[in-house]
Amino acid sequence: MRVRIAGTGSYLPATCVSNAELSQRVDTSDEWIQSRTGIRERRLLGPDDVPSQMGVSAAQAALAAAGSSPAEVGLLMVASNVLEQPVPGTAPFIAQGLGFPDDVPFMDIMAGCSGFVFGMAVAGALVAGGLVRSALLVGTEALSRFVDWQDRTTCVLFGDGAGAVLLEHSTGEESILGVSLHGDPAKAHLLRVEVGGVRTPVDEIAVRARRHFLKMEGEGVFRSAVHMMERSSREALAQAGLSADDVDWWIPHQANLRIIDALARRLQIPRERMVINIDRVANTSTASIPIALDELARSGRLQSGDILALTAFGAGASYGTVIVRW
Ligand code: ACO
């Protein structure tokens, strides 16, 4: 696909919570969290803040990096697990915050933590096909609002944040070289918020049973995740005519350092080619890949022509990989 990433941006909330601070809320320890997940600390959204504010900040940074402006954007696509409000979602609030004119299309996309990778494929295809002149793709996540802060098995894992990219038609070598997207509905139960939708609306009994919070079957997720990212990575690389060795930067979804290490072992990727920030930001779900990409881009280590592999798995269970030439 003749599409390039013209600019990247990210935003992390100011409030930083260490493992030691968390261990005062629930029965856990810095040692347990670091050894099982690689996480040291996470950023959390302030009580009066909303995910669209994070998305607006990340998007503004991406537009500035690309030398573009909201008036030039052809489409806004927002990936998220938890919406700003059930109707009309999050995208309209980001469009509003960016000061969009009244005719630019926007939409939310839900594909679990793989939402950003799915968004890259879908928005990239729309730009490459000429249906839109550019696409601003935002991943913004505030799972801290859906985590049960009494449940040590989940609350230690997640952080809040947002990341964004501006996709434009490419006239040079930069492009999306390969895409592999999949889903396994038999694993839909592994990560879920059961209450609050049409199937089970919120009521007092559900809230008392704490069913409105995120539930996760950690071991099941762990077992599937490595296989899923390995499979989609191999497929996307084959489509691109490349091998794992040709990838300069692997940017995996930051769910657990042990999952990332296991993927690296399976694909024989040296640690230095894995972009890792889970220690500082924890699992920011749909925002994790664009935040890591933005940090890499701003570090000055990315060279023109570098090959990137963005790979993710998430609720659903959805999973996928996109190979990009920078
Ligand atoms: N602190 C201390 N002890 C804990 C904690 C905690 N925070 N959480 C669990 N434990 C205890 C458990 O209760 C259990 O105790 P028990 O043996 O007495 O019953 C013990 O630690 C071991 O628990 P396990 O679940 O076996 O620990 P494991 O090594 O499997 O690690 C983890 C758990 C980190 C959740 C792991 O399974 C994992 O990372 N899974 C994948 C999670 C993931 O990727 N989630 C995101 C998916 S999609 C998305 O990104 C939104």
Side-chain angles (χ1 to χ4, degrees), residues 24-285:
Q24 289 162 9
R25 290 195 202 186
V26 287
D27 181 15
T28 189
S29 66
D30 179 48
E31 196 281 326
W32 193 97
I33 301 171
Q34 282 213 46
S35 63
R36 299 295 172 103
T37 70
I39 297 166
R40 283 191 290 115
E41 59 193 31
R42 72 283 296 141
R43 301 299 187 93
L44 299 183
L45 198 62
D48 298 324
D49 296 330
V50 287
S52 62
Q53 284 168 348
M54 297 194 291
V56 167
S57 298
Q60 283 169 334
L63 288 170
S68 187
S69 69
E72 295 171 82
V73 172
L75 167 73
L76 169 68
M77 191 177 279
V78 179
S80 201
N81 275 287
V82 289
L83 298 174
E84 181 128 334
Q85 64 184 52
V87 178
T90 305
F93 296 108
I94 294 183
Q96 208 173 49
L98 287 170
F100 267 19
D102 62 8
D103 58 352
V104 178
F106 46 75
M107 64 183 287
D108 285 288
I109 174 169
M110 283 189 88
C113 296
S114 312
F116 186 82
V117 167
F118 276 58
M120 281 287 294
V122 176
L126 291 172
V127 173
L131 268 78
V132 294
R133 64 179 178 276
S134 67
L136 185 56
L137 174 62
V138 179
T140 186
E141 208 69 74
L143 278 170
S144 66
R145 297 286 172 82
F146 284 81
V147 157
D148 185 347
W149 288 100
Q150 294 179 13
D151 175 11
R152 67 177 184 176
T153 67
T154 50
C155 75
V156 303
L157 303 176
F158 298 98
D160 300 332
V165 296
L166 182 70
L167 300 175
E168 286 181 349
H169 183 72
S170 169
T171 49
E173 291 297 303
E174 303 121 302
S175 50
I176 292 180
L177 302 171
V179 173
S180 165
L181 305 176
H182 288 286
D184 182 353
K187 297 193 167 68
H189 61 285
L190 291 176
L191 192 88
R192 61 196 191 276
V193 177
E194 290 164 357
V195 163
V198 172
R199 184 194 290 244
T200 316
V202 185
D203 63 17
E204 227 181 293
I205 299 167
V207 169
R208 241 183 280 126
R210 309 184 78 75
R211 291 179 60 212
H212 58 307
F213 289 127
L214 183 84
K215 302 274 184 288
M216 184 183 72
E217 293 175 27
E219 202 191 325
V221 175
F222 201 110
R223 267 192 274 112
S224 311
V226 181
H227 158 74
M228 289 173 168
M229 290 196 289
E230 181 190 3
R231 174 185 175 186
S232 60
S233 295
R234 288 193 190 282
E235 288 179 3
L237 283 167
Q239 201 184 81
L242 297 172
S243 72
D245 211 30
D246 295 319
V247 176
D248 298 288
W249 302 103
W250 285 85
I251 309 183
H253 171 43
Q254 311 278 311
N256 184 313
L257 187 57
R258 290 187 295 150
I259 292 176
I260 296 173
D261 281 341
L263 178 70
R265 277 194 301 276
R266 294 252 190 123
L267 293 173
Q268 298 184 310
I269 306 161
R271 208 12 152 46
E272 60 271 17
R273 286 204 222 149
M274 278 283 181
V275 180
I276 295 169
N277 65 1
I278 188 171
D279 53 322
R280 287 182 290 109
V281 303
N283 179 349
T284 58
S285 188

